[in-house]
Amino acid sequence: MINPPNPEPGRTGAPPAPLLVAVARGIALVVVVPLRLVWELVAAVGRWLHRWLLAPVGRFLDRWLLRPLGWLLRILVWAPLVWLGRGLSWLFRTLIWVPTVWLARGLAWLARTVVWVPLAWLAYHLIWVPLRWLARLLAPLGRLLVVGLVAVGRWLAKAGRVLLGALAWAWWAAGRLLWWCYALTLRPFVLGAGWLWRHAVRPVGRAVAAAWRATVSPAVRWVRRAVVDPVRQATREALTALGLRG
């Protein structure tokens, strides 16, 4: 059944719509009316199917199929499973858990009585008591040994400090001795050699070099230009003329 239409929206005393609004409403009405008709038909068919087909079929299935099936499952499956679970639980508790607990307690008592207590007694009387007696006996020797080691360590420390001081003094004394040996023997020779080099050898060397540059070098250059170069040129020309030079 088609529901009665709601009051037209926008009719709360507003002035008449313009021409554009009226045209848009007309086009929308032409498009929406078929869609609204289809929607109402589908809704009506759905309500009819629910009322006359789906609801009766659902009630029939619930009354004549689902409820009997649930009762059968509860009687034939769930109840036997519950009973079986309770029976298995009782069997496990009676035949496995309780004997296991009693066995564990018995083994623990045997271990404590037969193994742990004798072992503890033997360890106390055969190991702890002799070790304690030996510790009491060796305690004075240990204290004496510690005192001796401390005394030896102190003596070694003092000896080490004395030895290091002696080595440091010997190093300083060797340096001073070597410096005095140098100052009394090599230093005068070095100073004299330096004075001789600066005041004798160097001036003589400079004079010899100046004399060499003034005499020998010009003579060598003259001999090369006047004798050696002409002879070399004449030899080259003669060899060329004889065909002995390529």
Side-chain angles (χ1 to χ4, degrees):
M1 180 182 295
I2 300 176
N3 298 324
N6 296 325
E8 182 181 355
R11 298 298 297 274
T12 57
L19 178 60
L20 182 60
V21 176
V23 173
R25 287 183 177 181
I27 296 173
L29 184 61
V30 170
V31 174
V32 171
V33 166
L35 296 178
R36 181 61 181 271
L37 180 60
V38 173
W39 172 259
E40 293 294 341
L41 290 175
V42 172
V45 172
R47 287 193 296 270
W48 183 88
L49 290 175
H50 178 269
R51 181 176 180 181
W52 300 104
L53 180 62
L54 296 179
V57 171
R59 288 192 296 269
F60 175 79
L61 293 177
D62 179 65
R63 182 175 180 180
W64 298 104
L65 181 62
L66 296 179
R67 290 182 184 180
L69 183 60
W71 182 83
L72 290 176
L73 291 176
R74 185 172 64 252
I75 298 300
L76 299 178
V77 179
W78 180 250
L81 287 177
V82 171
W83 181 83
L84 181 61
R86 291 176 180 176
L88 292 177
S89 176
W90 181 84
L91 289 175
F92 175 78
R93 184 176 63 254
T94 304
L95 300 179
I96 298 177
W97 179 252
V98 174
T100 302
V101 171
W102 280 101
L103 181 62
R105 290 178 180 178
L107 293 176
W109 181 85
L110 288 176
R112 184 176 64 254
T113 305
V114 179
V115 179
W116 176 251
V117 174
L119 286 179
W121 186 89
L122 291 175
Y124 178 79
H125 289 87
L126 298 180
I127 298 176
W128 175 249
V129 173
L131 287 177
R132 185 174 60 184
W133 177 81
L134 185 62
R136 291 178 180 177
L137 180 63
L138 297 179
L141 295 177
R143 288 193 293 270
L144 181 61
L145 180 61
V146 171
V147 172
L149 291 176
V150 171
V152 172
R154 292 178 179 176
W155 182 84
L156 290 177
K158 292 181 180 179
R161 287 195 295 269
V162 172
L163 181 61
L164 290 177
L167 290 176
W169 180 86
W171 184 267
W172 174 83
R176 299 297 296 175
L177 179 62
L178 292 176
W179 186 86
W180 280 108
C181 291
Y182 167 75
L184 295 177
T185 57
L186 295 178
R187 188 180 181 187
F189 176 76
V190 173
L191 293 177
W195 182 88
L196 183 64
W197 174 264
R198 288 192 302 272
H199 297 86
V201 176
R202 185 182 294 177
V204 171
R206 290 177 179 176
V208 171
W212 180 272
R213 288 193 300 271
T215 59
V216 177
S217 296
V220 170
R221 287 194 296 271
W222 181 83
V223 169
R224 187 179 59 188
R225 289 194 301 268
V227 179
V228 176
D229 290 343
V231 170
R232 183 184 301 167
Q233 183 66 28
T235 302
R236 185 183 299 111
E237 293 176 355
L239 292 175
T240 304
L242 294 174
L244 299 177
R245 180 181 177 86

